[in-house]
Amino acid sequence: MAEGETSLNGLELSKRWRDAADCGAEMLCFVVEQVPQIYCLEVESNSQEEEEVVQSRLLQPLEWFLFGEDPQAGLEKLQQGSASSQLCGRVFKEGETVYSCRDCAIDPTCVLCMDCFQDSVHKGHRYKMHASSGGGFCDCGDLEAWKTGPCCSKHDPGAATAMETPGLHERAQKLFQVLLRYATDLLVWEESYELAAELQPRVKEDTYYCVLYNDEHHSYDHVIYTLQRSVQCDHSEAHTHTALIDKEGRRAVKRGKLRSCQQAKDLIRSHSEHISLQPLRVEILHSAVMAHQSFAMRLGAWFQQIIGYSVGFRQVFCQVALEPSSEGDQPSLISRLMLHDSRLYKGARKFIHELIFCSLLMETEYKRRFAIEFTKHYKQLQKDYTLDDHERSISITALSVQIFTVPTLARQLIEEGNVIKVIVDTVMELLSEHLDANHRFHFQGYNSDKFFRIQVIFHDLRYILISKPSVWTEELRTQFLEGFRVFLGLLHCMQGMEEVKRQFGQHIEVEPEWEAGFSIQRQLRHILVMFQDWCSSDETVLLLSFRECHRALMRCNNQPFQSEATDYYMCKHILHVSPYKVSQEPVSIHLPISRALAGLYVQLCYTGAVKRLHEFLDPSCDFTWFAEHPLRCVVLAAQVSAEMWRRNGLSLVSQVYYYHDVKCRDEMFDKDVIMLQIAASKMDPNHFIMLILQRFELFDVFNGSLASKDQELLKQWNRLTEEMLYLLIIIVGERYVPGISHVTKEDVTMREVIHLLCIQPMAHSSLVKGLPENESHETGLETVIPKVATFKKPGVSGHGLYEVKKECLPEFNPFFFHYSKSQHSKAEDAQKKRRTQEGSDKALRPPVPPPFCPAFSSIVHLLCCDILIHILRRVLQRAVEDRATYWTEAMIQRVPFACISLPLGLLEEKAQLGASTVEQVTFDFSLKHRKSVFHLLSKMTALPSLEAQKDMIKWTLQIVPDKDKAERKRKAEAAKLHRQKIMAQMSAMQKNFIESHKMLYDNMPENMLRNVGDYELCVAVGPQRGSTPAEREVLTCILCQEEQEVQARSPAMVLTACVQRSTVLTQCRGKTLANNETMYPLFMPPDLAVGTHTGSCGHVMHATCWQKYFEAVQNTTRNRLHAELIIDLENGEYMCPLCKSLCNTVVPLIPLEPLTLNYENAELVGQLLTLPRWIQILSARIKGLNHLSGESPVLFDGDTALCGEGQPDFRSILSFGVKEPRKYSDSIAEMLVVCATTVHRVGLQTGPNELCPAVPVMSWNTCAFTIQAIENLLQEEDKTLFGSLQNRQVGQIDYRGGTVLDQFSPIPSEGFITVTLLSFSASLLPTMSSESTPSILEVDFFHLLVGLVLAIPALYQEEAVDLQPSAVSSAYNHLYILHLVTMAHMVQVLLSSTDDTAVFGGEEGEAERAAAEIVTQHTSRLCKGYLTKKESDVVGVTPFLRCAALFFNCLTGVPPPEELSSTTGRYLRALCSYLALPCDVFQLFQEHRGTVFPLLQRWCGHPAVTKALKGEMQTISYPRKRNRLIELPEDYSALLNQASHFQCPNSTDDERKHPTLCLFCGTILCSQSTCCHSQLDGEEVGACTAHAATCGAGVGMFLRIRECEMVLMASKTRGSTYPAPYLDDYGETDPQLGRGNPLHLCPERYRKLHQLWQQHCILEEIARSLEVVNVMFAFEWQML
């Protein structure tokens, strides 16, 4: 609150207003005077300063008037005397996560916000979560919304008290009247240049604004383009304007004189018309109008603030908003705002909606009054919405869900306002333009956008009917029936709409419109069921509704017949019916009234009210009429299946598809079947089947003989016969409908699930898609699934599956009427395969159906009527006859239908015999027709062409009593015993075979087994190293399939490889290495900030084959759409031809040179070449080469303790053994260059340059880093060092090591020797160091080890001849390099891990002395061997030793000891022995005491070490921490809760954000939002792309929290989505939270993601994902 002078002014103003005769007019004058002085003074005003002025000069005086005292004091008093609201009322933003309890919510629209859900009892229930579309509010505290737990802990019911301060109510009422009227007048004001008389300013300025409004016709780019060319602004300013226009709905883009604003308006309209036919909406507003409208918008937030203070304030505001206007022709203020909603811009709409949410919808009484007001204007509001171009979420019509879903309000609106009639009348009026001459809908050429908006009205009808009444009043009964009559009028316009007629001759030219009709049908699907449920809750309403529906059907003007009735004769029966052919007459698939009548009849049977039907309906009504239209639909579907309507195009095929589809079938196909069952139960069975034959156009086929020789016609008859028999099976056998038989909805769902699972095991989501949903979007699956299926949990991929229980398999019906053709085939094959595996026959026996209810019991007589027997006899007779013209495949396929009809009759007879006495049985099948039908069946068993149906026929015959049954049983038992005997003999033979082979293995010679633990033969380093075996390796090229032995002089064979930068091992995430750093790439820092990894899939090709393949890929891929998203051709990328892994180079395969060391010669050399002598010779050689290269001389120390006595000759290094270098083929040399250049280019992110000195260094670095990554992965997975590697990892190590060893034997320049070897050696030998040499704390020693070992052969090069060190020389070089590097690393570990490395206190000199004491202490103890147990622990050194073992294994080929294949026992001892190190590695300091002591002093004397010991420099602790993905919460709702509190660092608005979590470091980013765009390499990128560049070296793994979806990124332009590691209880992911089930973290899947990262397979996964998905429109990953 303001103080001082401002408060005084507020007090004086409030007193003056109270004392005035008309205080409202005084306040309005004050507002009129102040607003133009605050708002719209500049083009771009400072929002913060403007808000401060508004608070002090406008709002503070108004609050003084409201409270009558200091507002702060008044507010404190008010809050002490009133309780908080019971309702939460939080208004949801678009994209905000909301929760609905499936157990407790009255309907699915009842939702909770995140905070209320977390503090409610519903968290432990079955809940769903989804993203809000915006506009709704939290229902916490609404007692009518929840069955239990209506309030969270924050909103427990509290008594709301009224305002007790004297005069407060009157002042609030007066203030709200003035300000709300002021705001309403301004928002609905349509004059651009003038204000109302009472709002006119004293002096009218010539200042205007050119205001651009939002629409849905122009894109972002269109508006930006238009603004840049119309108002002369740059791209950034135009982008800002466009973003604000989209957010607020309008924006002033120019301020100036009227003429200049008019010019800008004309330019905007002109430029926008060039892009779109519809110009942008632009208006010119006077500055005073803009100012007052701006303040009116500001009042919206102020109103919400004041209303939130007290329930009393809210009630007063509601009263003011709803009170009738004093002017007779004006509605209430809230009605005026509602009626102008469609003409307002987006910001004003939001202001109105939020005001309604926080006031009128929070008070029960005023919510009722508002609902009546809303219903009164409902038709006009919906008309305005259909003409609007904004989304429904920002339309006033979206409030219907908040009103119509309240049960008490819905009842009251039906009783008082007949809201059902209002809604249906609105639909009819809006759709009236689509009525044809017959008063039926015809949607050809409809407007899809307008039609979509009209369909939304059906949602309101569903909301009204969502909860049926438990108690009916007379008024409710009357109004509901009136509404139902109007609804039947809508159905009357749909009955028979969009008729189709079979096309003959020419194919139809234009596909007729059909989607609109089915869209309405889908909208009405649940509404029809809900009307039936309402009717069934009251017997009188049900009977009256059935009568009204019957009358509506009889009034339909689409008459079924165009000719007089005719008599049809068959088997001495006469059918009197009018002729009609579906193939020739018009027919419609839309019959909503017929189907509604069928649904109501079933409800009559279910409730027992059918007994009173005769009181309301004429008993003599013609049920042929009932069956006529549904039968036509069924026949139409059958003829489409028989391909008789091919010339009518795909539109009819699509209609028939949806007719049977799960989304429509329950109110289309299923109801047609029910109507046919009703007719079958009322008609004579013979007449009914004759009617079916006539409508199927098969009457003459079965009444006479086949006269046609047209094969096409015969096929059609065959197919129609199949469909007709199938329909009879359905009519008789499909009884799982409550009311037709005594089953429950649970039984129906159970049967559906069993038949779905009989096709194949299914995931939960697949089952849900295959089941019909009710009005609450529930399928009932969770209730029945435990009874019929077992759940199989998913692995690291895929999803959980349900498998049908064995005891439920007898319920399988092979002709289940909800199967499609493909489903029927799959289910039949699956069940036959199962029965074959079980050793049973292939007969798929139909289950015994439940008995019919009394009203439908007469249907079974169809099975024993004369006409059906005649049909079956004719079908079987044709199958038995041996005539070639009649033996078609379709004819044979008819036999199963006949076979299935007979068992149904026999089973029905058996069921009646079991349930009744002989006298009560009215159904006789087997005795009556055994001689005719079963005689034909017995003949069919001998036909070889019916082999597939033989088991079914035999089973049918077995149902009939048979005298030979005992004999057949005896034979079956004998056959079973014979099979068992044969199986026993085979088992004995198998055991004998195994025993004989076991003896062979037991007799294996002892010398073929390896001597375990023989360390002497398993040394890879030094003079005792083992031999390199001579192995002949023959590989097959995956392209040409030719074999070739890998040889040095042969054409090159190459390994596919992918080089990428990596931060998998980094110890300081987010650090980047600049290319201009002097240490890198020569020295890898110990934090391994960014390394270069080389991976391979392990597939081999000839180099020439690869070159041809790569050229072909380049030629074919360039023309592919968006190929750059998959592979980057410019950077040499390609997909492995075999496994489709992403690659960008090849590694040539170089075999190891067979080598056997001369141990006697090695021992003699060792006596001369001690470590001091080796250092001396090495230093002299490097010094000489440095001098010859012309470089500046390096000052070498003459420390005799380090180098020994005497100075060696420049060429002394050659005296210990040299040999000729190994020769390679030209193709191998070429591939070496290709590989090294790629590593250099990718690792340093530079252009290709094979002459760069850093090329060989980068090759050695990638070798070291790849080995470190593999060792880290093995340690992570607790696998052994050797023996646990995958093939691709073996290839990475073996061939990478061998390649880099010989890769740069020919030294490119003397400068390379000077820079590389001198720098490497300087880091170990301080006598050669310079100021730029890093300390031992700033170097990764494994990278240094690899570099030294692979670079030292270059010292043996001479000017005239190429030489290499001999085996003995190499052995000692490797040994001494390893010893020196190991000791340096151990000192590094000790200095980094000591407890004394903390920052010292005191003076700077004291800290330096303390550091020096620590160094002295370490060096003396290391050299004298005085180590504590903690210091002698080699855990910190073990990773280095493991990496060294892997490196020397691939370098020398010496096999490791078997102890290294385990992690227990003598593992460490074997590791040291393999590397020629003492078992206690600290003994190295004892062995080389004289040499290493001065090294220790110089190592520890480096200034950087002193800084580290003083705590001034960060050091890396050893062993390095293994990087893992961040820990995620087990419950996904916790993650959503975390995201809900996320605030964008660069934005203050509350618009929807996309919080995205980096799984590497845990940072939450604002993705896909312009507010967080940044520059990367001169290009604008999104937050995730910029973050991945620093956190993962371009690689990213992000979780989009609100979408529950992973995003993998590999570069600025490449990425893909990936399933999140969160699964629901059914083992499935839920991208976009589409299903909304509770999600929980799956550790196995998260571990797989971790492995994907650790194994450097993210790039490969992205490429494979993009290769599979056909991308039509490229996604801009760089903007993520």
Side-chain angles (χ1 to χ4, degrees), residues 1644-1669:
E1644 293 79 11
R1645 301 212 175 190
Y1646 199 44
R1647 194 177 303 117
K1648 182 183 177 182
L1649 276 173
H1650 176 73
Q1651 292 174 350
L1652 196 70
W1653 175 46
Q1654 291 285 318
Q1655 294 173 357
H1656 298 86
C1657 293
I1658 292 179
L1659 190 62
E1660 177 181 323
E1661 183 66 33
I1662 293 173
R1664 285 181 174 172
S1665 173
L1666 295 176
E1667 178 74 12
V1668 172
V1669 179

mmCIF file of all heavy atoms in Angstrom, residues 1644-1669:
data_model
loop_
_atom_site.group_PDB
_atom_site.id
_atom_site.type_symbol
_atom_site.label_atom_id
_atom_site.label_comp_id
_atom_site.label_asym_id
_atom_site.label_seq_id
_atom_site.Cartn_x
_atom_site.Cartn_y
_atom_site.Cartn_z
ATOM 1 N N GLU A 1644 14.364 -50.945 -15.462
ATOM 2 C CA GLU A 1644 15.031 -51.625 -16.576
ATOM 3 C C GLU A 1644 15.125 -50.713 -17.794
ATOM 4 O O GLU A 1644 16.157 -50.655 -18.466
ATOM 5 C CB GLU A 1644 14.281 -52.910 -16.943
ATOM 6 C CG GLU A 1644 14.317 -53.995 -15.885
ATOM 7 C CD GLU A 1644 13.323 -53.749 -14.761
ATOM 8 O OE1 GLU A 1644 12.469 -52.838 -14.925
ATOM 9 O OE2 GLU A 1644 13.395 -54.440 -13.723
ATOM 10 N N ARG A 1645 14.065 -49.989 -18.088
ATOM 11 C CA ARG A 1645 14.086 -49.105 -19.251
ATOM 12 C C ARG A 1645 14.991 -47.904 -19.021
ATOM 13 O O ARG A 1645 15.637 -47.416 -19.948
ATOM 14 C CB ARG A 1645 12.672 -48.635 -19.589
ATOM 15 C CG ARG A 1645 11.742 -49.782 -19.878
ATOM 16 C CD ARG A 1645 10.701 -49.434 -20.879
ATOM 17 N NE ARG A 1645 9.916 -50.626 -21.206
ATOM 18 C CZ ARG A 1645 9.053 -50.700 -22.194
ATOM 19 N NH1 ARG A 1645 8.875 -49.658 -22.978
ATOM 20 N NH2 ARG A 1645 8.375 -51.797 -22.437
ATOM 21 N N TYR A 1646 15.015 -47.432 -17.800
ATOM 22 C CA TYR A 1646 15.922 -46.315 -17.516
ATOM 23 C C TYR A 1646 17.367 -46.776 -17.597
ATOM 24 O O TYR A 1646 18.248 -46.023 -18.036
ATOM 25 C CB TYR A 1646 15.608 -45.735 -16.143
ATOM 26 C CG TYR A 1646 16.138 -44.336 -15.946
ATOM 27 C CD1 TYR A 1646 16.003 -43.379 -16.952
ATOM 28 C CD2 TYR A 1646 16.766 -43.961 -14.769
ATOM 29 C CE1 TYR A 1646 16.486 -42.092 -16.781
ATOM 30 C CE2 TYR A 1646 17.247 -42.674 -14.590
ATOM 31 C CZ TYR A 1646 17.108 -41.747 -15.593
ATOM 32 O OH TYR A 1646 17.591 -40.479 -15.426
ATOM 33 N N ARG A 1647 17.596 -48.023 -17.188
ATOM 34 C CA ARG A 1647 18.939 -48.581 -17.318
ATOM 35 C C ARG A 1647 19.325 -48.730 -18.788
ATOM 36 O O ARG A 1647 20.475 -48.509 -19.171
ATOM 37 C CB ARG A 1647 19.004 -49.936 -16.614
ATOM 38 C CG ARG A 1647 20.423 -50.461 -16.396
ATOM 39 C CD ARG A 1647 20.413 -51.766 -15.622
ATOM 40 N NE ARG A 1647 19.732 -51.618 -14.350
ATOM 41 C CZ ARG A 1647 18.628 -52.263 -14.018
ATOM 42 N NH1 ARG A 1647 18.060 -53.099 -14.870
ATOM 43 N NH2 ARG A 1647 18.068 -52.084 -12.843
ATOM 44 N N LYS A 1648 18.352 -49.084 -19.612
ATOM 45 C CA LYS A 1648 18.632 -49.189 -21.046
ATOM 46 C C LYS A 1648 18.990 -47.822 -21.626
ATOM 47 O O LYS A 1648 19.892 -47.712 -22.466
ATOM 48 C CB LYS A 1648 17.411 -49.758 -21.772
ATOM 49 C CG LYS A 1648 17.634 -49.933 -23.263
ATOM 50 C CD LYS A 1648 16.381 -50.426 -23.976
ATOM 51 C CE LYS A 1648 16.623 -50.519 -25.477
ATOM 52 N NZ LYS A 1648 15.409 -50.943 -26.212
ATOM 53 N N LEU A 1649 18.297 -46.774 -21.181
ATOM 54 C CA LEU A 1649 18.642 -45.426 -21.623
ATOM 55 C C LEU A 1649 20.055 -45.064 -21.192
ATOM 56 O O LEU A 1649 20.812 -44.444 -21.946
ATOM 57 C CB LEU A 1649 17.651 -44.417 -21.046
ATOM 58 C CG LEU A 1649 16.334 -44.214 -21.793
ATOM 59 C CD1 LEU A 1649 15.410 -43.320 -20.983
ATOM 60 C CD2 LEU A 1649 16.583 -43.609 -23.156
ATOM 61 N N HIS A 1650 20.384 -45.451 -19.969
ATOM 62 C CA HIS A 1650 21.732 -45.183 -19.475
ATOM 63 C C HIS A 1650 22.772 -45.905 -20.333
ATOM 64 O O HIS A 1650 23.809 -45.321 -20.688
ATOM 65 C CB HIS A 1650 21.835 -45.642 -18.016
ATOM 66 C CG HIS A 1650 23.203 -45.497 -17.424
ATOM 67 N ND1 HIS A 1650 23.743 -44.285 -17.082
ATOM 68 C CD2 HIS A 1650 24.151 -46.419 -17.138
ATOM 69 C CE1 HIS A 1650 24.961 -44.461 -16.598
ATOM 70 N NE2 HIS A 1650 25.227 -45.754 -16.618
ATOM 71 N N GLN A 1651 22.497 -47.149 -20.688
ATOM 72 C CA GLN A 1651 23.425 -47.888 -21.543
ATOM 73 C C GLN A 1651 23.500 -47.278 -22.932
ATOM 74 O O GLN A 1651 24.573 -47.246 -23.549
ATOM 75 C CB GLN A 1651 22.996 -49.358 -21.630
ATOM 76 C CG GLN A 1651 23.145 -50.125 -20.321
ATOM 77 C CD GLN A 1651 22.577 -51.524 -20.411
ATOM 78 O OE1 GLN A 1651 21.908 -51.873 -21.381
ATOM 79 N NE2 GLN A 1651 22.824 -52.325 -19.383
ATOM 80 N N LEU A 1652 22.380 -46.796 -23.432
ATOM 81 C CA LEU A 1652 22.371 -46.141 -24.735
ATOM 82 C C LEU A 1652 23.329 -44.953 -24.738
ATOM 83 O O LEU A 1652 24.029 -44.717 -25.735
ATOM 84 C CB LEU A 1652 20.952 -45.680 -25.057
ATOM 85 C CG LEU A 1652 20.627 -45.302 -26.499
ATOM 86 C CD1 LEU A 1652 20.610 -46.544 -27.374
ATOM 87 C CD2 LEU A 1652 19.272 -44.612 -26.566
ATOM 88 N N TRP A 1653 23.359 -44.251 -23.647
ATOM 89 C CA TRP A 1653 24.268 -43.107 -23.519
ATOM 90 C C TRP A 1653 25.707 -43.563 -23.329
ATOM 91 O O TRP A 1653 26.614 -43.092 -24.004
ATOM 92 C CB TRP A 1653 23.795 -42.248 -22.344
ATOM 93 C CG TRP A 1653 24.697 -41.106 -22.004
ATOM 94 C CD1 TRP A 1653 25.269 -40.218 -22.873
ATOM 95 C CD2 TRP A 1653 25.122 -40.717 -20.693
ATOM 96 N NE1 TRP A 1653 26.021 -39.297 -22.179
ATOM 97 C CE2 TRP A 1653 25.951 -39.576 -20.847
ATOM 98 C CE3 TRP A 1653 24.869 -41.203 -19.416
ATOM 99 C CZ2 TRP A 1653 26.529 -38.930 -19.753
ATOM 100 C CZ3 TRP A 1653 25.440 -40.552 -18.333
ATOM 101 C CH2 TRP A 1653 26.264 -39.433 -18.502
ATOM 102 N N GLN A 1654 25.903 -44.497 -22.409
ATOM 103 C CA GLN A 1654 27.260 -44.946 -22.111
ATOM 104 C C GLN A 1654 27.918 -45.640 -23.298
ATOM 105 O O GLN A 1654 29.134 -45.571 -23.476
ATOM 106 C CB GLN A 1654 27.235 -45.896 -20.903
ATOM 107 C CG GLN A 1654 26.886 -45.248 -19.589
ATOM 108 C CD GLN A 1654 28.019 -44.425 -19.012
ATOM 109 O OE1 GLN A 1654 29.167 -44.843 -19.041
ATOM 110 N NE2 GLN A 1654 27.715 -43.245 -18.502
ATOM 111 N N GLN A 1655 27.123 -46.325 -24.114
ATOM 112 C CA GLN A 1655 27.662 -47.034 -25.273
ATOM 113 C C GLN A 1655 27.740 -46.157 -26.518
ATOM 114 O O GLN A 1655 28.051 -46.649 -27.597
ATOM 115 C CB GLN A 1655 26.802 -48.262 -25.568
ATOM 116 C CG GLN A 1655 26.852 -49.319 -24.483
ATOM 117 C CD GLN A 1655 25.872 -50.446 -24.728
ATOM 118 O OE1 GLN A 1655 25.109 -50.425 -25.690
ATOM 119 N NE2 GLN A 1655 25.881 -51.437 -23.860
ATOM 120 N N HIS A 1656 27.439 -44.859 -26.362
ATOM 121 C CA HIS A 1656 27.532 -43.904 -27.473
ATOM 122 C C HIS A 1656 26.649 -44.327 -28.644
ATOM 123 O O HIS A 1656 27.051 -44.238 -29.812
ATOM 124 C CB HIS A 1656 28.987 -43.762 -27.929
ATOM 125 C CG HIS A 1656 29.900 -43.230 -26.874
ATOM 126 N ND1 HIS A 1656 30.505 -44.047 -25.935
ATOM 127 C CD2 HIS A 1656 30.297 -41.963 -26.593
ATOM 128 C CE1 HIS A 1656 31.243 -43.309 -25.126
ATOM 129 N NE2 HIS A 1656 31.143 -42.037 -25.488
ATOM 130 N N CYS A 1657 25.453 -44.773 -28.325
ATOM 131 C CA CYS A 1657 24.536 -45.245 -29.369
ATOM 132 C C CYS A 1657 23.382 -44.283 -29.629
ATOM 133 O O CYS A 1657 22.433 -44.629 -30.333
ATOM 134 C CB CYS A 1657 23.969 -46.616 -28.977
ATOM 135 S SG CYS A 1657 25.199 -47.926 -28.958
ATOM 136 N N ILE A 1658 23.437 -43.079 -29.057
ATOM 137 C CA ILE A 1658 22.337 -42.134 -29.255
ATOM 138 C C ILE A 1658 22.250 -41.714 -30.719
ATOM 139 O O ILE A 1658 21.171 -41.697 -31.313
ATOM 140 C CB ILE A 1658 22.522 -40.904 -28.340
ATOM 141 C CG1 ILE A 1658 22.355 -41.314 -26.873
ATOM 142 C CG2 ILE A 1658 21.531 -39.801 -28.702
ATOM 143 C CD1 ILE A 1658 22.536 -40.187 -25.889
ATOM 144 N N LEU A 1659 23.398 -41.401 -31.301
ATOM 145 C CA LEU A 1659 23.415 -41.009 -32.716
ATOM 146 C C LEU A 1659 22.891 -42.134 -33.596
ATOM 147 O O LEU A 1659 22.119 -41.913 -34.535
ATOM 148 C CB LEU A 1659 24.837 -40.629 -33.114
ATOM 149 C CG LEU A 1659 25.029 -39.958 -34.472
ATOM 150 C CD1 LEU A 1659 24.298 -38.632 -34.523
ATOM 151 C CD2 LEU A 1659 26.506 -39.750 -34.756
ATOM 152 N N GLU A 1660 23.284 -43.345 -33.272
ATOM 153 C CA GLU A 1660 22.830 -44.511 -34.035
ATOM 154 C C GLU A 1660 21.324 -44.714 -33.885
ATOM 155 O O GLU A 1660 20.622 -45.006 -34.864
ATOM 156 C CB GLU A 1660 23.599 -45.735 -33.533
ATOM 157 C CG GLU A 1660 23.204 -47.039 -34.164
ATOM 158 C CD GLU A 1660 24.012 -48.193 -33.584
ATOM 159 O OE1 GLU A 1660 25.209 -48.005 -33.302
ATOM 160 O OE2 GLU A 1660 23.428 -49.267 -33.407
ATOM 161 N N GLU A 1661 20.800 -44.531 -32.681
ATOM 162 C CA GLU A 1661 19.367 -44.702 -32.437
ATOM 163 C C GLU A 1661 18.562 -43.651 -33.196
ATOM 164 O O GLU A 1661 17.493 -43.946 -33.754
ATOM 165 C CB GLU A 1661 19.088 -44.589 -30.931
ATOM 166 C CG GLU A 1661 17.649 -44.813 -30.539
ATOM 167 C CD GLU A 1661 17.186 -46.226 -30.791
ATOM 168 O OE1 GLU A 1661 18.005 -47.159 -30.673
ATOM 169 O OE2 GLU A 1661 15.993 -46.381 -31.130
ATOM 170 N N ILE A 1662 19.059 -42.432 -33.245
ATOM 171 C CA ILE A 1662 18.367 -41.377 -33.980
ATOM 172 C C ILE A 1662 18.303 -41.709 -35.458
ATOM 173 O O ILE A 1662 17.254 -41.585 -36.099
ATOM 174 C CB ILE A 1662 19.072 -40.027 -33.752
ATOM 175 C CG1 ILE A 1662 18.926 -39.592 -32.292
ATOM 176 C CG2 ILE A 1662 18.531 -38.962 -34.683
ATOM 177 C CD1 ILE A 1662 19.731 -38.376 -31.931
ATOM 178 N N ALA A 1663 19.439 -42.140 -36.015
ATOM 179 C CA ALA A 1663 19.480 -42.452 -37.442
ATOM 180 C C ALA A 1663 18.533 -43.594 -37.777
ATOM 181 O O ALA A 1663 17.815 -43.549 -38.785
ATOM 182 C CB ALA A 1663 20.913 -42.796 -37.847
ATOM 183 N N ARG A 1664 18.501 -44.614 -36.947
ATOM 184 C CA ARG A 1664 17.607 -45.749 -37.214
ATOM 185 C C ARG A 1664 16.149 -45.333 -37.106
ATOM 186 O O ARG A 1664 15.299 -45.768 -37.887
ATOM 187 C CB ARG A 1664 17.906 -46.877 -36.236
ATOM 188 C CG ARG A 1664 19.191 -47.633 -36.566
ATOM 189 C CD ARG A 1664 19.432 -48.757 -35.589
ATOM 190 N NE ARG A 1664 20.582 -49.554 -35.986
ATOM 191 C CZ ARG A 1664 21.122 -50.515 -35.236
ATOM 192 N NH1 ARG A 1664 20.603 -50.772 -34.053
ATOM 193 N NH2 ARG A 1664 22.159 -51.206 -35.662
ATOM 194 N N SER A 1665 15.854 -44.496 -36.131
ATOM 195 C CA SER A 1665 14.474 -44.037 -35.974
ATOM 196 C C SER A 1665 14.026 -43.227 -37.179
ATOM 197 O O SER A 1665 12.928 -43.409 -37.690
ATOM 198 C CB SER A 1665 14.356 -43.197 -34.692
ATOM 199 O OG SER A 1665 13.095 -42.620 -34.583
ATOM 200 N N LEU A 1666 14.884 -42.337 -37.650
ATOM 201 C CA LEU A 1666 14.521 -41.509 -38.803
ATOM 202 C C LEU A 1666 14.482 -42.325 -40.084
ATOM 203 O O LEU A 1666 13.744 -41.989 -41.013
ATOM 204 C CB LEU A 1666 15.526 -40.362 -38.943
ATOM 205 C CG LEU A 1666 15.534 -39.340 -37.808
ATOM 206 C CD1 LEU A 1666 16.626 -38.313 -38.027
ATOM 207 C CD2 LEU A 1666 14.189 -38.645 -37.694
ATOM 208 N N GLU A 1667 15.264 -43.396 -40.144
ATOM 209 C CA GLU A 1667 15.253 -44.243 -41.333
ATOM 210 C C GLU A 1667 13.928 -44.979 -41.465
ATOM 211 O O GLU A 1667 13.412 -45.175 -42.564
ATOM 212 C CB GLU A 1667 16.409 -45.253 -41.259
ATOM 213 C CG GLU A 1667 16.476 -46.227 -42.408
ATOM 214 C CD GLU A 1667 16.972 -45.606 -43.701
ATOM 215 O OE1 GLU A 1667 17.477 -44.460 -43.660
ATOM 216 O OE2 GLU A 1667 16.844 -46.252 -44.743
ATOM 217 N N VAL A 1668 13.348 -45.357 -40.324
ATOM 218 C CA VAL A 1668 12.094 -46.109 -40.341
ATOM 219 C C VAL A 1668 10.923 -45.188 -40.644
ATOM 220 O O VAL A 1668 10.019 -45.520 -41.413
ATOM 221 C CB VAL A 1668 11.881 -46.820 -38.983
ATOM 222 C CG1 VAL A 1668 10.498 -47.435 -38.925
ATOM 223 C CG2 VAL A 1668 12.949 -47.881 -38.783
ATOM 224 N N VAL A 1669 10.919 -43.992 -40.041
ATOM 225 C CA VAL A 1669 9.796 -43.074 -40.178
ATOM 226 C C VAL A 1669 9.961 -42.278 -41.459
ATOM 227 O O VAL A 1669 11.018 -41.702 -41.723
ATOM 228 C CB VAL A 1669 9.720 -42.125 -38.960
ATOM 229 C CG1 VAL A 1669 8.568 -41.154 -39.121
ATOM 230 C CG2 VAL A 1669 9.562 -42.930 -37.688
#
